[in-house]
Amino acid sequence: MSRPKNQNYKGHGLPKGKEREQRASIRFKTTLMNTLMDVLRHRPGWVEVKDEGEWDFYWCDVSWLRENFDHTYMGEHVRISHFRNHYELTRKNYMVKNLKRFRKQMEREAGKLEAAKCDFFPKTFEMPCEYHLFVEEFRKNPGITWIMKPVARSQGKGIFLFRRLKDIMDWKKGTAGKKLTSLEAQPARNTVNPSGSHDTRSSDDQKDEIPVENYVAQRYIENPYLIGGRKFDLRVYVLVMSYIPLRAWLYRDGFARFSNTRFTLNSIDDQYVHLTNVAVQKTSPDYHPKKGCKWMLQRFRQYLASKHGPEAVETLFSDMDNIFIKSLQSVQKVIISDKHCFELYGYDILIDQDLKPWLLEVNASPSLTASSQEDYELKTCLLEDTLHVVDMEARLTGREKRVGGFDLMWNDGPVSREEGGPDLSGMGNFVTNTHLGCVNDRKKQLRQLFRSLQGQKKTPN
Amino acid sequence: MLQEESDLSLIIAQIVQKLKGSNLYAQLERQAWASLQRPEIKLESLKEDIKEFFKISGWEKKLQNAVYSELSVFPLPSHPAAPPEHLKEPLVYMRKAQGSWEKRILKSLNSMCTELSIPLARKRPVGEQKELLNKWNEMGTDEPDLSLFRPVYAPKDFLEVLINLRNPNYENGDSLSFRTHLGLIQVPLKVKDIPELKEFFVELGLTTGQLGIDDSTQVPPELFENEHVRIGQKVLTEQDSAAAQQYVRQGSPTALRAELWALILNISSHPEDILYYEQLKTNVIQHDLLVDSLIYKDVKLTASNDDYYFVFEDYLYQVLLCFSRDTSVLSHFAYNSASPPKSYIRGKLGLEEYAVFYPPNGVIPFHGFSMYVAPLCFLYHEPSKLYQIFREMYVRFFFRLHSISSHPSGIVSLCLLFETLLQTYLPQLFYHLREIGAQPLRISFKWMVRAFSGYLATDQLLLLWDRILGYNSLEILAVLAAAVFAFRAVNLMEVTSLAAAEAVLADLSTLKVMPLLQIFLFATVT
């Protein structure tokens, strides 16, 4: 097999040297009963394992992970769908801490301009420990709206908006609040390790008290980009195969989720207006299930291009690439990069009227339930391609830059769309290998890919 | 020669007459007066100098665009002594058919009115007016009880009328021959065949670059796309309507489309236009019309349920409610075979002074009407601009899709064109479908009546509508319909019922229109 022209190109993480064994059948396990089950069951050569059987692949949920990961032996080839301490990225308060620390580091090493690239998350304060810092910031900016979010809940539960400190006072008086006040009086409970990671074992100490929910107070983005008078956010899928080195893939498809009602700042109590999670919208009195309220990203990209022109759209999407990379880099040193682990993240991005993207949060377990036929297509294709990249069948060479709808976005360094390595001199036209919202001709690409892989196998030199 | 010259001078006279009453005329006059201040205007050569000034300052271009715009809708030259009905529709039997169809629609509307005891129009009480004004930007949140309202008619009702159209002067004998038309439409109108279509749509040929084909990811942009975009920008800078119309025949780049369409339709947003729209809005606030409920119902049934257009629901109300009250739309009935329904003030039946048109714009919406507006929301976000563009598109094109006429772009001709293309170039398929009781027109009719809106993916639909504007004709709808059948011919040959045929053709959202059209017209062995 001839060497590829560019020596700089690195494979994306498959073990070299030792021949990866082809397995006769791959035993999988999962508890999710939705699109994932359909995809796994239809995959040729994959058999389901139930209860206590041995498995090669487990798409687990995070609670199982927390309880069992540490005392589960996994063979070399085994794969599991979460990183042990993914919450460094996905719990709002940890993510904010990691990002802040990363930003400071960037400022020290590369200057203010580089550090400004990390300004994609709205000012956030952890409650209760940063309550006083929050009040200081609050007083500096009177009249703006803030949003209070529980760190660990999903689907829009427990979120509310406020403009006056009085509103927090009232909330503090409630059950959660009472515990908050008592905690405020004591030193911070969380043990922070020197590396910056958080040790959840400290939660054992709080066994005797009713566990208090942590919240973050975040500056609410008051000028979101509106389409048809409605607010929306974007759901984008990023697949991380390893953290050290950092290898991440970006899926071309995703969607924009619309709020069912028109946006106005007058009614901050109207949860339905401000929260775009489908779960919340589903309970809105206006919700009609047939409507969906999602746009595929391709449609969104076309809409923006016809309104603002292709250059503005290019800039927006490359700003979003920046969000994905920087957020992953910020937790790179903190997440335990176990070779058995991979993770499919669901990023929630909000665009404001100046076409600046903001990171709302990262989900470790993005919803895989389909809300419509189109949604079903998207999620099944997403999962199929995830399994292709994970490559239990040992078919890939490791030098692929694209697998189905996934484009290799970061491979221990930026990945260029063109052949050859990154443009280190900084000049010339480096275009990243991302195609978010672009044409996804995955079937054709997969056919070509697997055909050529077959060909390479048959002629082993 | 003499006849042509006198035709031309007649046309010129008519256009001048029309433009004299327009805003442009007043502006040109003002500009001419103002230009007298300029040093280069000399008294001795006043006329030439002012003309020169108009040329340089771009006003001549504006005049050119206005003339071009008038020519686009001008009816085909006819005998100077022809009565006005002939301008609407030259064939008597067509006029009669349209007249009786209109009577039926009106009867249906009136009976709904009586059944529900709702007046055709009423003035809103002040409280209700205030409420509506507050809710103007989110009328979609209203959930009025519309269960008792039914659309006045649906496309399939209209199809039945067209099927029964007959020319009383035409006798084609009882025996079947190869000339017999096997389709549903049985009137002898002249339609183009493929060689003529090839000539007409020459810019869609295989050797000419197209957006929708030559901008795909595999083709390097240097080959066609970059140059095409550059030309598009040039056309916009020149502000030339005719050039824009020629340009979009090869498709319009996404970023330039909104402006190009506005240029072709000769829409510019002057303060007077915005004021006019605001006036219409006030009319909506003050009076409630029965047709408003029909519009609401249509939007809720069609656009709101669409996966992509639901976002624009509010814009649709803002456009369509104003549209019903716009009396300037009445002028298009001069060349539309349809006539606006007339109603008389109570007790004054037959007295012309007490006649009013209902609705004020004379257009009664039918099931799916709101889909004409929905794709435009993708391009225009400012309500008065969106409104103007839609109104112009309606009075130039869309009205032909639901009135009975012999015009080559009228729905009857389109149906006949579709069926003839299918019968001539896909005879086996046509015969098979006819045998199983699945006449192709029964499936494709709804596509053509809606100009494919809601059936194709939006970006494909916009590429199709580029060509409608570019060629100033709706014939491309019939060609596309035939091309779709040709594309799915293999599957269609295997079906054994109308329902199965419908199923094969139910989902057009993955189709790419330009390759289909190109293959059908230019790459099929005829």
PDB file of all heavy atoms in Angstrom, chain B residues 308-331:
ATOM      1  N   TYR B 308     -42.212  23.419   7.191  1.00  0.00           N
ATOM      2  CA  TYR B 308     -41.323  24.569   7.078  1.00  0.00           C
ATOM      3  C   TYR B 308     -42.026  25.898   7.097  1.00  0.00           C
ATOM      4  O   TYR B 308     -41.486  26.865   7.581  1.00  0.00           O
ATOM      5  CB  TYR B 308     -40.421  24.436   5.843  1.00  0.00           C
ATOM      6  CG  TYR B 308     -39.373  23.407   6.132  1.00  0.00           C
ATOM      7  CD1 TYR B 308     -39.531  22.096   5.721  1.00  0.00           C
ATOM      8  CD2 TYR B 308     -38.291  23.719   6.940  1.00  0.00           C
ATOM      9  CE1 TYR B 308     -38.604  21.133   6.079  1.00  0.00           C
ATOM     10  CE2 TYR B 308     -37.361  22.772   7.294  1.00  0.00           C
ATOM     11  CZ  TYR B 308     -37.519  21.473   6.869  1.00  0.00           C
ATOM     12  OH  TYR B 308     -36.616  20.535   7.232  1.00  0.00           O
ATOM     13  N   TYR B 309     -43.214  25.956   6.586  1.00  0.00           N
ATOM     14  CA  TYR B 309     -43.859  27.254   6.496  1.00  0.00           C
ATOM     15  C   TYR B 309     -44.597  27.655   7.757  1.00  0.00           C
ATOM     16  O   TYR B 309     -45.055  28.784   7.862  1.00  0.00           O
ATOM     17  CB  TYR B 309     -44.800  27.286   5.290  1.00  0.00           C
ATOM     18  CG  TYR B 309     -44.087  27.097   3.975  1.00  0.00           C
ATOM     19  CD1 TYR B 309     -44.523  26.183   3.038  1.00  0.00           C
ATOM     20  CD2 TYR B 309     -42.946  27.839   3.676  1.00  0.00           C
ATOM     21  CE1 TYR B 309     -43.866  26.013   1.839  1.00  0.00           C
ATOM     22  CE2 TYR B 309     -42.275  27.668   2.476  1.00  0.00           C
ATOM     23  CZ  TYR B 309     -42.742  26.757   1.556  1.00  0.00           C
ATOM     24  OH  TYR B 309     -42.091  26.587   0.380  1.00  0.00           O
ATOM     25  N   PHE B 310     -44.698  26.734   8.714  1.00  0.00           N
ATOM     26  CA  PHE B 310     -45.468  27.081   9.918  1.00  0.00           C
ATOM     27  C   PHE B 310     -44.897  28.314  10.608  1.00  0.00           C
ATOM     28  O   PHE B 310     -45.608  29.083  11.226  1.00  0.00           O
ATOM     29  CB  PHE B 310     -45.481  25.903  10.902  1.00  0.00           C
ATOM     30  CG  PHE B 310     -44.165  25.658  11.588  1.00  0.00           C
ATOM     31  CD1 PHE B 310     -43.863  26.300  12.772  1.00  0.00           C
ATOM     32  CD2 PHE B 310     -43.232  24.801  11.035  1.00  0.00           C
ATOM     33  CE1 PHE B 310     -42.647  26.089  13.409  1.00  0.00           C
ATOM     34  CE2 PHE B 310     -42.022  24.585  11.663  1.00  0.00           C
ATOM     35  CZ  PHE B 310     -41.726  25.231  12.846  1.00  0.00           C
ATOM     36  N   VAL B 311     -43.571  28.508  10.444  1.00  0.00           N
ATOM     37  CA  VAL B 311     -42.928  29.641  11.116  1.00  0.00           C
ATOM     38  C   VAL B 311     -43.490  30.980  10.638  1.00  0.00           C
ATOM     39  O   VAL B 311     -43.511  31.953  11.366  1.00  0.00           O
ATOM     40  CB  VAL B 311     -41.409  29.583  10.815  1.00  0.00           C
ATOM     41  CG1 VAL B 311     -40.744  30.861  11.205  1.00  0.00           C
ATOM     42  CG2 VAL B 311     -40.795  28.430  11.533  1.00  0.00           C
ATOM     43  N   PHE B 312     -43.943  31.021   9.377  1.00  0.00           N
ATOM     44  CA  PHE B 312     -44.375  32.289   8.792  1.00  0.00           C
ATOM     45  C   PHE B 312     -45.865  32.538   8.911  1.00  0.00           C
ATOM     46  O   PHE B 312     -46.399  33.431   8.251  1.00  0.00           O
ATOM     47  CB  PHE B 312     -43.979  32.316   7.315  1.00  0.00           C
ATOM     48  CG  PHE B 312     -42.511  32.100   7.090  1.00  0.00           C
ATOM     49  CD1 PHE B 312     -42.061  31.043   6.327  1.00  0.00           C
ATOM     50  CD2 PHE B 312     -41.583  32.955   7.655  1.00  0.00           C
ATOM     51  CE1 PHE B 312     -40.705  30.848   6.117  1.00  0.00           C
ATOM     52  CE2 PHE B 312     -40.228  32.766   7.448  1.00  0.00           C
ATOM     53  CZ  PHE B 312     -39.784  31.713   6.676  1.00  0.00           C
ATOM     54  N   GLU B 313     -46.530  31.776   9.748  1.00  0.00           N
ATOM     55  CA  GLU B 313     -47.984  31.868   9.857  1.00  0.00           C
ATOM     56  C   GLU B 313     -48.477  33.306   9.998  1.00  0.00           C
ATOM     57  O   GLU B 313     -49.402  33.718   9.294  1.00  0.00           O
ATOM     58  CB  GLU B 313     -48.433  31.056  11.078  1.00  0.00           C
ATOM     59  CG  GLU B 313     -49.911  30.841  11.131  1.00  0.00           C
ATOM     60  CD  GLU B 313     -50.315  30.109  12.409  1.00  0.00           C
ATOM     61  OE1 GLU B 313     -49.472  29.424  13.004  1.00  0.00           O
ATOM     62  OE2 GLU B 313     -51.490  30.234  12.780  1.00  0.00           O
ATOM     63  N   ASP B 314     -47.842  34.062  10.876  1.00  0.00           N
ATOM     64  CA  ASP B 314     -48.320  35.428  11.114  1.00  0.00           C
ATOM     65  C   ASP B 314     -48.206  36.295   9.869  1.00  0.00           C
ATOM     66  O   ASP B 314     -49.080  37.094   9.583  1.00  0.00           O
ATOM     67  CB  ASP B 314     -47.522  36.060  12.256  1.00  0.00           C
ATOM     68  CG  ASP B 314     -47.699  35.297  13.538  1.00  0.00           C
ATOM     69  OD1 ASP B 314     -48.824  34.798  13.761  1.00  0.00           O
ATOM     70  OD2 ASP B 314     -46.744  35.199  14.314  1.00  0.00           O
ATOM     71  N   TYR B 315     -47.111  36.138   9.140  1.00  0.00           N
ATOM     72  CA  TYR B 315     -46.955  36.941   7.925  1.00  0.00           C
ATOM     73  C   TYR B 315     -48.072  36.652   6.935  1.00  0.00           C
ATOM     74  O   TYR B 315     -48.529  37.526   6.213  1.00  0.00           O
ATOM     75  CB  TYR B 315     -45.623  36.638   7.223  1.00  0.00           C
ATOM     76  CG  TYR B 315     -44.403  37.046   8.003  1.00  0.00           C
ATOM     77  CD1 TYR B 315     -43.215  36.349   7.844  1.00  0.00           C
ATOM     78  CD2 TYR B 315     -44.402  38.116   8.876  1.00  0.00           C
ATOM     79  CE1 TYR B 315     -42.071  36.702   8.520  1.00  0.00           C
ATOM     80  CE2 TYR B 315     -43.262  38.474   9.569  1.00  0.00           C
ATOM     81  CZ  TYR B 315     -42.096  37.769   9.391  1.00  0.00           C
ATOM     82  OH  TYR B 315     -40.962  38.109  10.066  1.00  0.00           O
ATOM     83  N   LEU B 316     -48.491  35.385   6.897  1.00  0.00           N
ATOM     84  CA  LEU B 316     -49.525  35.008   5.935  1.00  0.00           C
ATOM     85  C   LEU B 316     -50.823  35.754   6.206  1.00  0.00           C
ATOM     86  O   LEU B 316     -51.475  36.235   5.282  1.00  0.00           O
ATOM     87  CB  LEU B 316     -49.760  33.498   5.983  1.00  0.00           C
ATOM     88  CG  LEU B 316     -48.565  32.646   5.548  1.00  0.00           C
ATOM     89  CD1 LEU B 316     -48.866  31.183   5.687  1.00  0.00           C
ATOM     90  CD2 LEU B 316     -48.193  32.963   4.119  1.00  0.00           C
ATOM     91  N   TYR B 317     -51.184  35.857   7.499  1.00  0.00           N
ATOM     92  CA  TYR B 317     -52.402  36.622   7.808  1.00  0.00           C
ATOM     93  C   TYR B 317     -52.220  38.072   7.408  1.00  0.00           C
ATOM     94  O   TYR B 317     -53.101  38.682   6.809  1.00  0.00           O
ATOM     95  CB  TYR B 317     -52.716  36.557   9.294  1.00  0.00           C
ATOM     96  CG  TYR B 317     -53.018  35.166   9.784  1.00  0.00           C
ATOM     97  CD1 TYR B 317     -52.272  34.592  10.797  1.00  0.00           C
ATOM     98  CD2 TYR B 317     -54.049  34.421   9.221  1.00  0.00           C
ATOM     99  CE1 TYR B 317     -52.531  33.311  11.237  1.00  0.00           C
ATOM    100  CE2 TYR B 317     -54.313  33.149   9.663  1.00  0.00           C
ATOM    101  CZ  TYR B 317     -53.552  32.595  10.668  1.00  0.00           C
ATOM    102  OH  TYR B 317     -53.799  31.329  11.106  1.00  0.00           O
ATOM    103  N   GLN B 318     -51.041  38.617   7.737  1.00  0.00           N
ATOM    104  CA  GLN B 318     -50.826  40.033   7.448  1.00  0.00           C
ATOM    105  C   GLN B 318     -50.920  40.325   5.965  1.00  0.00           C
ATOM    106  O   GLN B 318     -51.351  41.396   5.566  1.00  0.00           O
ATOM    107  CB  GLN B 318     -49.449  40.462   7.974  1.00  0.00           C
ATOM    108  CG  GLN B 318     -49.394  40.463   9.476  1.00  0.00           C
ATOM    109  CD  GLN B 318     -47.994  40.730   9.997  1.00  0.00           C
ATOM    110  OE1 GLN B 318     -47.091  41.089   9.249  1.00  0.00           O
ATOM    111  NE2 GLN B 318     -47.810  40.570  11.283  1.00  0.00           N
ATOM    112  N   VAL B 319     -50.509  39.393   5.155  1.00  0.00           N
ATOM    113  CA  VAL B 319     -50.578  39.620   3.705  1.00  0.00           C
ATOM    114  C   VAL B 319     -51.976  39.355   3.161  1.00  0.00           C
ATOM    115  O   VAL B 319     -52.559  40.177   2.451  1.00  0.00           O
ATOM    116  CB  VAL B 319     -49.558  38.720   2.968  1.00  0.00           C
ATOM    117  CG1 VAL B 319     -49.818  38.697   1.485  1.00  0.00           C
ATOM    118  CG2 VAL B 319     -48.155  39.203   3.250  1.00  0.00           C
ATOM    119  N   LEU B 320     -52.543  38.202   3.518  1.00  0.00           N
ATOM    120  CA  LEU B 320     -53.803  37.802   2.884  1.00  0.00           C
ATOM    121  C   LEU B 320     -54.993  38.637   3.324  1.00  0.00           C
ATOM    122  O   LEU B 320     -55.877  38.926   2.522  1.00  0.00           O
ATOM    123  CB  LEU B 320     -54.055  36.313   3.140  1.00  0.00           C
ATOM    124  CG  LEU B 320     -53.105  35.404   2.364  1.00  0.00           C
ATOM    125  CD1 LEU B 320     -53.178  33.983   2.880  1.00  0.00           C
ATOM    126  CD2 LEU B 320     -53.430  35.443   0.883  1.00  0.00           C
ATOM    127  N   LEU B 321     -55.017  39.040   4.589  1.00  0.00           N
ATOM    128  CA  LEU B 321     -56.148  39.858   5.035  1.00  0.00           C
ATOM    129  C   LEU B 321     -56.129  41.210   4.337  1.00  0.00           C
ATOM    130  O   LEU B 321     -57.167  41.724   3.932  1.00  0.00           O
ATOM    131  CB  LEU B 321     -56.118  40.026   6.557  1.00  0.00           C
ATOM    132  CG  LEU B 321     -56.373  38.768   7.372  1.00  0.00           C
ATOM    133  CD1 LEU B 321     -56.269  39.048   8.860  1.00  0.00           C
ATOM    134  CD2 LEU B 321     -57.740  38.194   7.062  1.00  0.00           C
ATOM    135  N   CYS B 322     -54.921  41.760   4.174  1.00  0.00           N
ATOM    136  CA  CYS B 322     -54.818  43.041   3.458  1.00  0.00           C
ATOM    137  C   CYS B 322     -55.163  42.858   1.996  1.00  0.00           C
ATOM    138  O   CYS B 322     -55.798  43.711   1.381  1.00  0.00           O
ATOM    139  CB  CYS B 322     -53.407  43.603   3.595  1.00  0.00           C
ATOM    140  SG  CYS B 322     -53.069  44.183   5.249  1.00  0.00           S
ATOM    141  N   PHE B 323     -54.727  41.732   1.439  1.00  0.00           N
ATOM    142  CA  PHE B 323     -54.972  41.459   0.026  1.00  0.00           C
ATOM    143  C   PHE B 323     -56.464  41.492  -0.301  1.00  0.00           C
ATOM    144  O   PHE B 323     -56.871  42.051  -1.323  1.00  0.00           O
ATOM    145  CB  PHE B 323     -54.355  40.102  -0.326  1.00  0.00           C
ATOM    146  CG  PHE B 323     -54.478  39.713  -1.767  1.00  0.00           C
ATOM    147  CD1 PHE B 323     -53.836  40.446  -2.753  1.00  0.00           C
ATOM    148  CD2 PHE B 323     -55.211  38.601  -2.149  1.00  0.00           C
ATOM    149  CE1 PHE B 323     -53.931  40.083  -4.081  1.00  0.00           C
ATOM    150  CE2 PHE B 323     -55.314  38.233  -3.472  1.00  0.00           C
ATOM    151  CZ  PHE B 323     -54.673  38.964  -4.441  1.00  0.00           C
ATOM    152  N   SER B 324     -57.286  40.910   0.583  1.00  0.00           N
ATOM    153  CA  SER B 324     -58.730  40.894   0.283  1.00  0.00           C
ATOM    154  C   SER B 324     -59.341  42.270   0.212  1.00  0.00           C
ATOM    155  O   SER B 324     -60.392  42.437  -0.372  1.00  0.00           O
ATOM    156  CB  SER B 324     -59.547  40.163   1.335  1.00  0.00           C
ATOM    157  OG  SER B 324     -58.844  39.187   1.928  1.00  0.00           O
ATOM    158  N   ARG B 325     -58.688  43.231   0.824  1.00  0.00           N
ATOM    159  CA  ARG B 325     -59.287  44.565   0.842  1.00  0.00           C
ATOM    160  C   ARG B 325     -58.687  45.502  -0.191  1.00  0.00           C
ATOM    161  O   ARG B 325     -59.057  46.661  -0.259  1.00  0.00           O
ATOM    162  CB  ARG B 325     -59.117  45.183   2.236  1.00  0.00           C
ATOM    163  CG  ARG B 325     -60.033  44.531   3.251  1.00  0.00           C
ATOM    164  CD  ARG B 325     -59.385  44.538   4.612  1.00  0.00           C
ATOM    165  NE  ARG B 325     -60.274  44.037   5.640  1.00  0.00           N
ATOM    166  CZ  ARG B 325     -60.434  42.742   5.934  1.00  0.00           C
ATOM    167  NH1 ARG B 325     -59.790  41.829   5.231  1.00  0.00           N
ATOM    168  NH2 ARG B 325     -61.249  42.369   6.906  1.00  0.00           N
ATOM    169  N   ASP B 326     -57.777  44.978  -0.992  1.00  0.00           N
ATOM    170  CA  ASP B 326     -57.047  45.860  -1.902  1.00  0.00           C
ATOM    171  C   ASP B 326     -57.785  46.042  -3.224  1.00  0.00           C
ATOM    172  O   ASP B 326     -57.738  45.188  -4.099  1.00  0.00           O
ATOM    173  CB  ASP B 326     -55.655  45.272  -2.138  1.00  0.00           C
ATOM    174  CG  ASP B 326     -54.734  46.256  -2.821  1.00  0.00           C
ATOM    175  OD1 ASP B 326     -55.224  47.279  -3.329  1.00  0.00           O
ATOM    176  OD2 ASP B 326     -53.521  45.999  -2.838  1.00  0.00           O
ATOM    177  N   THR B 327     -58.441  47.165  -3.392  1.00  0.00           N
ATOM    178  CA  THR B 327     -59.235  47.376  -4.603  1.00  0.00           C
ATOM    179  C   THR B 327     -58.371  47.580  -5.843  1.00  0.00           C
ATOM    180  O   THR B 327     -58.861  47.455  -6.959  1.00  0.00           O
ATOM    181  CB  THR B 327     -60.166  48.584  -4.446  1.00  0.00           C
ATOM    182  OG1 THR B 327     -59.393  49.672  -3.920  1.00  0.00           O
ATOM    183  CG2 THR B 327     -61.303  48.283  -3.499  1.00  0.00           C
ATOM    184  N   SER B 328     -57.074  47.863  -5.667  1.00  0.00           N
ATOM    185  CA  SER B 328     -56.241  48.031  -6.867  1.00  0.00           C
ATOM    186  C   SER B 328     -56.114  46.718  -7.620  1.00  0.00           C
ATOM    187  O   SER B 328     -55.815  46.701  -8.808  1.00  0.00           O
ATOM    188  CB  SER B 328     -54.867  48.575  -6.503  1.00  0.00           C
ATOM    189  OG  SER B 328     -54.114  47.594  -5.830  1.00  0.00           O
ATOM    190  N   VAL B 329     -56.370  45.621  -6.924  1.00  0.00           N
ATOM    191  CA  VAL B 329     -56.307  44.313  -7.584  1.00  0.00           C
ATOM    192  C   VAL B 329     -57.404  44.186  -8.635  1.00  0.00           C
ATOM    193  O   VAL B 329     -57.286  43.428  -9.595  1.00  0.00           O
ATOM    194  CB  VAL B 329     -56.432  43.187  -6.525  1.00  0.00           C
ATOM    195  CG1 VAL B 329     -56.552  41.823  -7.167  1.00  0.00           C
ATOM    196  CG2 VAL B 329     -55.246  43.225  -5.590  1.00  0.00           C
ATOM    197  N   LEU B 330     -58.481  44.959  -8.482  1.00  0.00           N
ATOM    198  CA  LEU B 330     -59.601  44.864  -9.435  1.00  0.00           C
ATOM    199  C   LEU B 330     -59.166  45.157 -10.862  1.00  0.00           C
ATOM    200  O   LEU B 330     -59.759  44.657 -11.812  1.00  0.00           O
ATOM    201  CB  LEU B 330     -60.711  45.841  -9.029  1.00  0.00           C
ATOM    202  CG  LEU B 330     -61.465  45.506  -7.741  1.00  0.00           C
ATOM    203  CD1 LEU B 330     -62.407  46.636  -7.358  1.00  0.00           C
ATOM    204  CD2 LEU B 330     -62.225  44.202  -7.892  1.00  0.00           C
ATOM    205  N   SER B 331     -58.095  45.945 -11.021  1.00  0.00           N
ATOM    206  CA  SER B 331     -57.697  46.299 -12.394  1.00  0.00           C
ATOM    207  C   SER B 331     -57.245  45.086 -13.198  1.00  0.00           C
ATOM    208  O   SER B 331     -57.302  45.099 -14.417  1.00  0.00           O
ATOM    209  CB  SER B 331     -56.611  47.372 -12.373  1.00  0.00           C
ATOM    210  OG  SER B 331     -55.512  46.903 -11.631  1.00  0.00           O
TER     211      SER B 331
END
